[in-house]
């Protein structure tokens, strides 16, 4: 069944948990889609897990469009959400609408995600007015890594917790259809989930959220540059890949690969006539 923003709304109303994973290419998107995950996020985490940058700040619109196109070709039923990269919306409503529109028009995405609370509500309103569904993202917002002083849990103190609750209400009011809560204490995330009518999608925000999202390379132990506390490894694919690569090297060097079953044959008498 095709997942849409209505699926998100109904899941919240019916108390069904939503699932979201990141993907950045056709093959992975197809596998995630076939596993029945509701939504695929083409995250700007692309910059770190695929392109090898230290953070997400260098990711461009062209990077995001290139990978979003690949993901939308692979996803048949999942709702595809494209992340708006750093400085593609912070500069104003006009840029935000134009760039969000490109994600749908050129990338084939169904929705966009952008980071921030009250300060980006005018952009959320403008994008939603242009008929592009918006998923908000508050708490730890990686595009603000320098302003936040690092990748840290957000909303721990009284003032910070109150601010986060207000940010959640503000993005809901601005028209977001869902909000990602990243690195937020579980009790606060559960309270926010109770107080707003749109689904909360947690990453490092506990089980009280309406849904969960993870970066797929994290949950498959493929990316070791950072290992956040909130990540659970569901399959040790990284280790299996390394074993596979090493076995390939060994067999090539031993001469056992390729063997007869992986080799094309021909009438050898033809070879005798070659000069
Ligand atoms: O870019 C990303 O992958 C994200 C998730 C961590 C929510 O924003």
């Amino acid at each position: 069944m095709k997942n849409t923003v209505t699926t998100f709304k109904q899941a919240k109303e019916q108390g069904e948990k939503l699932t979201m994973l990141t993907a950045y290419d056709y093959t992975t998107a197809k596998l995630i889609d076939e596993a029945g995950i509701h939504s695929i996020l083409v995250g700007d985490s692309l910059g770190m897990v695929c392109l090898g940058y230290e953070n997400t700040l260098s990711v461009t619109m062209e990077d995001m469009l290139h990978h979003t196109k690949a993901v939308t070709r692979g996803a048949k039923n999942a709702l595809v959400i494209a992340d708006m990269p750093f400085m593609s919306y912070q500069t104003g409503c006009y840029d935000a609408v134009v760039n969000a529109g490109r994600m749908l028009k050129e990338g084939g995405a169904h929705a966009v995600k952008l980071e921030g609370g009250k300060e980006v509500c005018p952009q959320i309103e403008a994008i939603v007015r242009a008929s592009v569904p918006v998923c908000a993202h508050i708490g730890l917002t990686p595009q603000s890594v320098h302003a936040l002083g690092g990748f840290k849990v957000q909303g721990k103190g009284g003032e910070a917790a109150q601010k986060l609750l207000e940010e959640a209400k503000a993005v809901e009011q601005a028209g977001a259809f869902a909000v990602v809560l990243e690195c937020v204490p579980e009790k606060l995330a559960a309270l926010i989930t109770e107080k707003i009518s749109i689904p909360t999608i947690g990453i490092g925000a506990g089980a009280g959220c309406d849904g969960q999202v993870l970066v797929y390379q994290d949950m498959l132990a493929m990316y070791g540059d950072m290992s956040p506390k909130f990540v659970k490894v569901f399959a040790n694919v990284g280790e299996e890949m390394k074993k596979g690569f090493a076995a390939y090297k060994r067999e090539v060097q031993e001469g056992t690969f390729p063997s007869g079953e992986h080799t094309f044959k021909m009438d050898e008498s033809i070879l005798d006539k070659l000069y």
Side-chain angles (χ1 to χ4, degrees):
M1 200 191 74
K2 265 221 172 309
N3 291 284
T4 66
V5 292
T6 310
T7 315
F8 273 59
K9 191 171 183 294
Q10 286 172 349
K12 172 107 184 178
E13 285 165 3
Q14 293 162 11
E16 277 169 26
K17 295 282 186 187
L18 287 159
T19 51
M20 185 187 290
L21 284 172
T22 65
Y24 317 91
D25 66 85
Y26 170 81
T27 305
T28 313
K30 201 157 181 278
L31 291 169
I32 292 174
D33 194 76
E34 286 167 4
I37 300 295
H38 296 103
S39 178
I40 296 179
L41 171 66
V42 190
D44 64 352
S45 47
L46 163 79
M48 298 170 77
V49 296
C50 292
L51 305 179
Y53 297 133
E54 203 175 295
N55 55 47
T56 58
L57 303 184
S58 309
V59 176
T60 64
M61 271 301 295
E62 301 316 314
D63 291 333
M64 289 307 303
L65 283 168
H66 180 70
H67 289 268
T68 300
K69 285 179 198 173
V71 167
T72 53
R73 285 192 286 263
K76 296 283 165 275
N77 294 316
L79 179 83
V80 177
I81 304 175
D83 235 346
M84 301 281 287
F86 186 52
M87 287 302 148
S88 67
Y89 59 96
Q90 287 91 340
T91 48
C93 291
Y94 178 81
D95 286 349
V97 173
V98 169
N99 288 320
R102 290 189 72 194
M103 295 297 196
L104 270 64
K105 212 173 161 152
E106 298 173 44
H110 308 118
V112 299
K113 176 170 82 59
L114 54 81
E115 296 180 7
K118 287 182 190 165
E119 74 285 7
V120 293
C121 281
Q123 283 91 328
I124 295 177
E125 281 169 14
I127 298 171
V128 170
R129 251 197 323 271
S131 300
V132 177
V134 177
C135 176
H137 181 162
I138 61 172
L140 170 59
T141 45
Q143 290 177 15
S144 306
V145 60
H146 298 310
L148 296 173
F151 296 106
K152 296 176 186 162
V153 178
Q154 302 295 307
K156 274 184 151 178
E159 210 176 299
Q162 182 62 42
K163 183 166 178 275
L164 210 56
L165 176 57
E166 284 167 17
E167 305 278 29
K169 288 181 179 170
V171 296
E172 173 190 26
Q173 195 62 36
F177 74 92
V179 56
V180 168
L181 302 180
E182 180 165 353
C183 284
V184 174
E186 65 169 340
K187 296 279 185 209
L188 175 60
L191 180 79
I192 292 173
T193 301
E194 213 182 282
K195 297 263 184 204
I196 61 174
S197 63
I198 56 172
T200 57
I201 309 296
I203 174 160
C209 295
D210 296 305
Q212 299 292 325
V213 58
L214 282 175
V215 170
Y216 92 84
Q217 287 94 335
D218 285 342
M219 53 94 76
L220 297 183
M222 293 168 67
Y223 176 77
D225 294 8
M226 253 194 194
S227 38
K229 175 182 159 78
F230 58 76
V231 171
K232 175 175 173 179
V233 172
F234 285 83
N236 210 334
V237 175
E239 205 43 49
E240 288 303 309
M241 286 173 81
K242 275 195 264 180
K243 277 192 212 158
F245 299 147
Y248 164 73
K249 180 183 178 191
R250 199 170 49 248
E251 291 195 23
V252 168
Q253 292 187 327
E254 284 168 352
T256 51
F257 176 82
S259 60
E261 63 178 310
H262 302 114
T263 309
F264 302 105
K265 309 284 181 225
M266 68 181 286
D267 175 356
E268 290 179 19
S269 66
I270 293 173
L271 296 177
D272 299 334
K273 296 184 192 122
L274 299 182
Y275 55 90

